[in-house]
Amino acid sequence: MRPFIAANWKLHKTVEESVETAARLKIIIEGVNDRDILVCPPFTALEEIYHVIEGTNIMLGAQDVFWEEEGAFTGEVSPEMLKNVGCEYVIIGHSERRKYFNETDETVNKKIRASFADELKVILCVGETEEMRDQAKHRDFVEKELEDGLKNISSSDAKMLAVAYEPIWAIGTGQTATPEQAQEMHAFIRDRLSVIFDQKTADSIRILYGGSVKPDNVKELMSQKDINGALVGGASLDAESFGKIIKGF
Ligand code: PEP
């Protein structure tokens, strides 16, 4: 499967800073054609970044989307609007959105279906808290996030789907899941996807690992059978460090 390395810049970078980082990244990854690369800057920088990366193998993504096409929904942005500024992907259900902005599996599902209706590809984020893992409830929790988040989505639409397994205890903490812990959950997720869709579809969906991915741990993580990519937060803010991750396996 073609590896997929994605950057989530979160609430960082002005337009100028975003453009500078993307321009540096473009130079660093020149000639790297055997993997998919995605950058997800804040909404304000999307259009400018599109012009920087146009014609390269870096794709553009947003960090969230709303499910309605238009209307009185102050502050929201639709899938069509994201496509209009050059987005190919959107991240949906990131744990920070679930925690701080009341994102639920139901709203995640609405957002995914609306995105697919406009042929906007999706990275669905799932992952458990440390407490859930300690209580051995992590599998059940992730299973529910997948089942409810992917309700009423066809196998053919699932071609536009990638899943990111992001254990919440590993995000921004420097505490990475061990390659074995990650592999075990990725295999579990693929198995659940085979029930939700079918085996062939599950085998074609890329499952990314997210949670303190760095240049020095990417190789070991990417060597695991069911780890098909990485969703990178902190270490993607610097073009050199993100470039090392992209080239590091
Ligand atoms: C993320 O928020 O998607 C993430 C994985 O962050 P970090 O790499 O900083 O842990």
Side-chain angles (χ1 to χ4, degrees):
M1 218 181 285
R2 193 174 160 87
F4 185 11
I5 307 296
N8 173 14
W9 289 352
K10 308 190 184 185
L11 204 170
H12 292 284
K13 297 185 189 291
T14 61
V15 175
E16 291 75 18
E17 288 162 350
S18 299
V19 165
E20 197 194 318
T21 308
R24 271 174 34 227
L25 184 65
K26 186 165 122 172
I27 295 165
I28 292 168
I29 57 93
E30 219 180 317
V32 179
N33 295 312
D34 59 349
R35 48 208 63 191
D36 285 342
I37 302 164
L38 175 74
V39 289
C40 303
F43 286 130
T44 46
L46 286 171
E47 190 173 2
E48 283 292 325
I49 299 278
Y50 178 72
H51 295 301
V52 176
I53 62 179
E54 204 178 352
T56 72
N57 67 334
I58 306 173
M59 297 179 288
L60 186 66
Q63 300 172 19
D64 189 30
V65 68
F66 191 57
W67 56 82
E68 294 287 349
E69 269 174 35
E70 61 180 6
F73 303 104
T74 302
E76 297 298 331
V77 171
S78 72
E80 193 189 353
M81 289 170 177
L82 295 180
K83 292 274 294 198
N84 183 244
V85 291
C87 286
E88 209 164 313
Y89 270 94
V90 61
I91 298 172
I92 295 180
H94 192 281
S95 60
E96 288 151 14
R97 295 221 59 87
R98 294 179 192 256
K99 181 174 175 188
Y100 302 120
F101 304 100
N102 303 321
E103 189 85 273
T104 63
D105 290 331
E106 196 190 349
T107 59
V108 163
N109 181 253
K110 284 184 178 182
K111 289 178 179 187
I112 296 177
R113 287 192 288 142
S115 298
F116 285 168
D118 276 327
E119 302 204 325
L120 180 64
K121 295 173 191 155
V122 168
I123 299 179
L124 162 65
C125 298
V126 297
E128 80 284 357
T129 61
E130 190 161 28
E131 202 184 346
M132 288 169 197
R133 181 166 276 267
D134 288 346
Q135 296 170 1
K137 290 183 181 152
H138 51 298
R139 286 186 205 84
D140 291 349
F141 183 76
V142 167
E143 178 172 27
K144 189 169 173 352
E145 284 186 319
L146 290 168
E147 278 175 359
D148 293 354
L150 296 172
K151 225 171 233 167
N152 298 321
I153 287 165
S154 67
S155 297
S156 72
D157 276 355
K159 288 185 182 66
M160 295 182 276
L161 175 72
V163 174
Y165 170 60
E166 300 207 305
I168 294 166
W169 47 273
I171 297 178
T173 59
Q175 192 190 340
T176 323
T178 64
E180 294 74 26
Q181 279 173 326
Q183 166 56 30
E184 195 243 311
M185 284 305 286
H186 280 231
F188 174 75
I189 289 167
R190 200 175 305 285
D191 180 62
R192 294 298 87 199
L193 292 173
S194 77
V195 175
I196 295 167
F197 301 112
D198 55 74
Q199 191 63 54
K200 190 164 167 254
T201 303
D203 288 341
S204 70
I205 294 173
R206 288 181 292 189
I207 306 175
L208 282 51
Y209 169 77
S212 299
V213 175
K214 302 274 181 296
D216 62 4
N217 61 23
V218 68
K219 191 170 182 169
E220 222 190 335
L221 287 161
M222 288 301 295
S223 70
Q224 303 297 312
K225 178 175 169 279
D226 288 292
I227 301 186
N228 313 118
L231 178 55
V232 188
S236 74
L237 292 172
D238 175 72
E240 272 71 31
S241 127
F242 189 50
K244 280 186 191 151
I245 290 173
I246 293 166
K247 294 178 175 179
F249 59 94

